Amino acid sequence: MRLALLGSGMIVRDLLSAVADVPGLTVVAIQGRPASQDRLEELAQAHGIPKVYTDLGSCLADPEVDTVYVGLPNDLHHAASRAALEAGKHVVCEKPFTSTVAELEELTRIAAARGLMLLEAITTVHHRAYREIVRRLPSLGRLRLVECVYSQRSSRYDAFRAGEVHAAFDPGRGGGALRDLGIYGIHFVVGLLGEPDSVSYHPTLERGVDTSGVLVLSYAQTQAVVVCAKDSHASSHAAVQGDEATIEMHGAPNTCGPLVLTTPAGSRPLEVETHPHRMVDEFREFVRIVAEGDVSARDRLLAHSSAALRTLERATDSVGW
Ligand SMILES: NC(=O)c1ccc[n+]([C@@H]2O[C@H](COP(=O)([O-])OP(=O)(O)OC[C@H]3O[C@@H](n4cnc5c(N)ncnc54)[C@H](OP(=O)(O)O)[C@@H]3O)[C@@H](O)[C@H]2O)c1
């Protein structure tokens, strides 16, 4: 995979620190706004990236690039992904994929028509600890409760309280706790149970922004709750409770974490070999999918992303957003 990075913010830096552990992945270009040129040059130098672009069109026209990574604020995902697909590039786009289901459907059609890969960078579904929960699901009996908590007081929360509104806290730009953190819990639950029968979101609002909230996803035989907070901290964790056994995960749904299995006979840890960098498992899979042109993996992942996005849309509908 010969990747061009769009953006030079927190997630792009995070990805750059994982690249060395993803065989077959080469970053060939980085693109950003002209005002960020110094930062782009600095990152390019530090990570041996040969080309820096401040114009999207030139970056997308580069024949050395076969895949584009969209590491931009949420409201820019759709336009950037569409431009990349129309330029004939595969796309790996940050979460949440797009602002609406209709936007994702449009991207899906373009990718299918052009035989390109279109993938959402949502670490949860590729993480080995989460895959282990999915694998063991049938052994838990009838699933009764799923709980997924991601509470992380944002490094940008103090600035928000002081009146500054970063995109991650701006509902007009696809920000807020549900879209930023709750989306991981939605992927976690929908990946286990499919789409819920009913969805209701209960936000805590500060200046019209959900800085935290509780999402209830109801199924015929199972209830699920997703807790997300950017305004306060707690130990993030998940529990998947069946009437025969329960798996608890000690960690947030983006990084996952150690698993413990509890049955009537007692509790024991489940050994899962994971990479310490949360983005390595997903990018190893993306490199494979692009290299093999694995259309069925693309379509399976897109169907899952689409189900998660529909659930997110129903959650925001439930509060009239
Ligand atoms: N931060 C994380 O840990 C994290 C984790 C997982 C996923 N994500 C996802 O990654 C994406 C980016 O988040 P982030 O935290 O990396 O944001 P960030 O630090 O604010 O970086 C955003 C990047 O987008 C650029 N940008 C902003 N507005 C733009 C515009 N109007 N036109 C073109 N470029 C623009 C910024 O460029 P300038 O420098 O020129 O402003 C910057 O390079 C989001 O979708 C988020 O959900 C983030």
Side-chain angles (χ1 to χ4, degrees), residues 7-12 14 33 35-36 39 69-74 76-77 94-96 156 166 173 180 184 278:
S8 56
M10 279 171 63
I11 196 63
V12 164
D14 225 352
R33 295 188 282 193
S36 310
R39 187 141 49 106
Y69 171 75
V70 181
L72 301 172
N74 299 343
L76 303 175
H77 290 182
E94 264 305 327
K95 44 55 69 170
R156 291 150 171 164
H166 183 275
R173 303 204 62 192
D180 193 28
Y184 290 107
R278 72 190 191 286

Side-chain angles (χ1 to χ4, degrees), residues 81 85 91 97 104 107-108 111 116-120 298 302:
S81 297
L85 291 170
V91 168
F97 220 146
L104 180 56
L107 297 181
T108 301
L116 294 166
M117 298 300 142
L118 172 65
L119 303 157
E120 181 180 17
R298 174 197 68 184
L302 276 173

Side-chain angles (χ1 to χ4, degrees), residues 275-297:
H275 192 282
H277 197 304
R278 72 190 191 286
M279 299 176 85
V280 165
D281 282 346
E282 63 169 354
F283 266 86
R284 286 181 179 167
E285 179 65 353
F286 296 158
V287 166
R288 183 196 69 73
I289 290 171
V290 167
E292 295 176 9
D294 188 345
V295 169
S296 65

Side-chain angles (χ1 to χ4, degrees), residues 88-168:
K89 310 299 184 189
H90 306 296
V91 168
V92 174
C93 180
E94 264 305 327
K95 44 55 69 170
F97 220 146
T98 52
S99 302
T100 65
V101 172
E103 287 177 350
L104 180 56
E105 285 171 353
E106 183 198 36
L107 297 181
T108 301
R109 280 194 297 274
I110 300 172
R114 295 181 172 236
L116 294 166
M117 298 300 142
L118 172 65
L119 303 157
E120 181 180 17
I122 181 83
T123 48
T124 312
V125 300
H126 302 282
H127 199 285
R128 287 188 201 181
Y130 182 68
R131 304 301 327 152
E132 182 65 11
I133 296 174
V134 173
R135 194 181 71 78
R136 287 180 177 267
L137 208 55
S139 67
L140 303 184
R142 291 179 302 168
L143 277 196
R144 313 275 61 177
L145 289 172
V146 178
E147 174 197 18
C148 186
V149 176
Y150 189 177
S151 289
Q152 179 177 275
R153 194 180 189 281
S154 169
S155 57
R156 291 150 171 164
Y157 182 56
D158 288 332
F160 170 77
R161 288 180 80 183
E164 196 184 301
V165 184
H166 183 275

